[in-house]
Amino acid sequence: MDIRDLRYFCVAAETGHLGLAAQVLHLTQPAITKSIRRLEAEIGGRLFVPDGRRLQLTPAGKLMLERAQSVDQALRQAITDVRQEVEGFSGRLSLGASPLVAESLFPAIASAMRREAPGLILELSIKGSDALRADVLAGRVDMAVIPLQPPTPPELCVVPLLDDYLTVACAPGHPLLALPRIELADFCQFDWVLPSAHTLVRRRLDAIFLSNGHPVPKCRIEVNSVLGAPGLIWSSKLLGFTSRLSLHSSRFANRLQEIPHEQVQSARRIALIARQATLKDPIRSNAVNLIQSEAAAIFQDF
């Protein structure tokens, strides 16, 4: 069977007219007719029946069209994959990250991409986690590195990179540090630097206090990103609820003190998300492996 006969058949089936198929393919109508006759001789049945001046697929023709389109798509993908293998890791990749993750990870990823894939065009996007998840689902971004927020849609693939922790922090000398044992109620006596009220982090913290019969923490400074929290905690001398990753990656890492408390501290997973279909592409699959490697190197001591 000649692959060209399959392609000519697909065009004839899609246009429903031998003359139109000939125009699309820049061939003569008799050439298209001979091609279809060869296919019909090979399968031992009719692929089309006339319907006025148009062609209608027979049941065998409908099945042949379905299979032929799959074969054509597979061949085109094979050519693309082999070309990419020959040319190297190249093309265009769009990657998003939440602000905190971007500050830690983007410089290393950009450097690694330049080293491993100099022909790759890298498009970096920094947004909030909700916006990036929507971008990935809509296909506006190939993949994103964000704190996971359940539930995960089934069409997304999740690649864990790091377990981060949300924790209480303060500047040295805060009165809480003088207590021999810190109870949950003790946190209610002080003012806080907190994430915005609409964020999942803030809602999670408020729920901890309310579920244990305490008022929510008293917010005096509200910030819409944990990225800015360490500096505000340091300058204001207030309590803060922020990410351990943020504490360790900021310039205030050695100035602030974490207050571990099992009721308040909570884990969250930082992961790469991408649509299942996206990762079938060799460029993006290779990119995931590279991002995993860079993340492991950056966060190995975290």
Side-chain angles (χ1 to χ4, degrees), residues 8-37 40 46 48-50 52-56:
Y8 298 166
F9 160 72
C10 288
V11 175
E14 290 162 0
T15 59
H17 195 283
L18 289 177
L20 289 176
Q23 291 179 26
V24 171
L25 294 166
H26 303 289
L27 296 171
T28 64
Q29 186 169 325
I32 303 298
T33 301
K34 288 180 181 178
S35 176
I36 292 171
R37 293 289 179 264
E40 290 179 331
R46 298 289 300 276
F48 294 105
V49 292
R53 301 183 64 180
R54 298 187 62 80
L55 296 174
Q56 290 292 334

Side-chain angles (χ1 to χ4, degrees), residues 136-172:
V136 171
L137 285 168
R140 293 186 291 268
V141 173
D142 292 324
M143 56 191 69
V145 181
I146 60 173
L148 281 185
Q149 179 178 336
T152 301
E155 59 267 39
L156 288 184
C157 176
V158 175
V159 181
L161 299 178
L162 167 72
D163 284 332
D164 188 17
Y165 290 87
L166 298 168
T167 187
V168 180
C170 65

Side-chain angles (χ1 to χ4, degrees), residues 105 161 291-301:
L105 200 55
L161 299 178
I291 292 169
Q292 279 185 290
S293 176
E294 291 302 313
I298 292 171
F299 302 129
Q300 61 181 339
D301 297 324

